[in-house]
């Protein structure tokens, strides 16, 4: 029994924070887990910038409403789900992910949640579990599943390396250079073929 574990941002949809950085005109918000491996440190920094500019959940959700999946992502997911189980494991938040899940045909997603005040200010965030991608893959393995994982960022390496097979997808040159033993793909057809080869 296999379960394919996929990252969300950069793999199936564009990076939410990059889109919001462009929409809000705050270039500092372009920093992602491709730049900062410590996710909690990155989020604390982001929340500080939001507070400084008086921005809250509504402004971010307004930007998310304009984001479309990466071309081919839904078709890739539909094809993948025709022959295996798929879980998206993301460090994003339910308040960000729901509109995007609708556009992707409601795949299963495990992610985190934001703490939001009544006035819409994001006051904090609650991580589902520490080191969630790696921990989730190990938990799935503990109940009898083989995992295949793919992602683009530093925070995906744990689940990729802990899985029976793992692939980088649309990653950075630096991450690819730092992990030369990992197969790296740029197109959904390549990734689908690699996963299919492992499973079928």
């Amino acid at each position: 029994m296999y379960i394919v574990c996929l990252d969300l941002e950069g793999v199936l949809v564009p990076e939410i924070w990059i889109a919001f950085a462009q929409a809000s005109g705050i270039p500092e918000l372009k920093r992602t887990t491709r730049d900062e491996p410590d996710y909690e440190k990155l989020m604390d920094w982001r929340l500080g910038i939001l507070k400084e500019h008086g921005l809250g959940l509504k402004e971010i959700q307004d930007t998310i409403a304009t984001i479309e999946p990466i071309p081919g992502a839904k078709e890739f997911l539909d094809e993948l789900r025709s022959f295996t189980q798929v879980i998206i494991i993301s460090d994003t938040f339910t308040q960000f992910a729901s509109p995007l899940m609708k556009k992707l045909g409601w795949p299963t997603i495990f992610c985190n949640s934001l703490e939001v005040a009544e006035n819409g200010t994001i006051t904090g965030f609650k991580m589902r579990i520490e080191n969630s991608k790696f921990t989730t893959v190990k938990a799935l393995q503990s109940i009898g599943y083989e995992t295949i994982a793919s992602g683009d960022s530093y925070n995906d390496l744990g689940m990729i390396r802990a899985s029976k097979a793992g692939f980088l997808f649309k990653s950075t040159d630096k991450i690819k250079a730092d992990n030369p033993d990992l197969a790296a793909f740029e197109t959904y057809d390549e990734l689908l073929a690699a996963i299919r080869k492992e499973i079928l």
Side-chain angles (χ1 to χ4, degrees):
M1 292 288 290
Y2 283 91
I3 289 188
V4 174
C5 300
L6 298 173
D7 179 34
L8 176 65
E9 293 178 68
V11 173
L12 299 170
V13 302
E15 294 279 353
I16 291 167
W17 286 97
I18 290 178
F20 185 62
Q22 289 164 342
S24 63
I26 305 169
E28 305 96 289
L29 286 173
K30 286 185 179 173
R31 266 179 89 73
T32 70
T33 48
R34 290 176 167 206
D35 312 299
E36 172 52 71
D38 185 331
Y39 189 75
E40 296 200 27
K41 181 177 167 187
L42 179 63
M43 271 308 298
D44 284 334
W45 180 78
R46 286 167 170 167
L47 293 187
I49 291 175
L50 293 180
K51 189 175 177 184
E52 187 186 316
H53 289 269
L55 297 169
L57 180 59
K58 181 187 182 305
E59 289 80 6
I60 300 174
Q61 286 179 327
D62 286 348
T63 296
I64 292 170
T66 70
I67 294 174
E68 293 298 324
I70 294 168
K74 184 177 184 301
E75 294 77 9
F76 162 73
L77 263 185
D78 289 346
E79 180 63 25
L80 194 56
R81 291 159 75 197
S82 75
F83 65 86
T84 188
Q85 298 294 312
V86 180
I87 297 175
I88 297 169
I89 307 176
S90 173
D91 279 336
T92 194
F93 305 95
T94 51
Q95 294 94 332
F96 291 179
S98 288
L100 298 167
M101 293 305 99
K102 184 177 182 182
K103 291 176 181 180
L104 287 169
W106 296 112
T108 299
I109 184 169
F110 292 175
C111 60
N112 305 306
S113 58
L114 292 168
E115 295 164 351
V116 185
E118 282 185 23
N119 67 358
T121 302
I122 301 170
T123 55
F125 55 95
K126 186 167 174 35
M127 302 300 278
R128 184 170 55 83
I129 193 169
E130 194 174 335
N131 199 3
S132 67
K133 298 187 181 193
F134 171 79
T135 307
T136 301
V137 156
K138 295 306 282 183
L140 290 168
Q141 291 165 357
S142 78
I143 55 169
Y145 286 96
E146 294 277 15
T147 60
I148 296 172
S150 185
D152 68 325
S153 294
Y154 285 106
N155 64 339
D156 298 313
L157 292 172
M159 73 171 180
I160 288 172
R161 292 204 170 279
S163 292
K164 185 176 185 203
F167 311 107
L168 292 171
F169 186 70
K170 295 184 182 292
S171 193
T172 65
D173 289 342
K174 176 156 180 26
I175 293 173
K176 287 188 277 194
D178 288 347
N179 297 274
D181 59 313
L182 294 178
F185 302 118
E186 296 299 320
T187 72
Y188 292 120
D189 286 347
E190 290 172 323
L191 182 57
L192 193 63
I195 294 170
R196 198 188 289 273
K197 188 177 171 188
E198 288 293 330
I199 293 176
L200 302 178

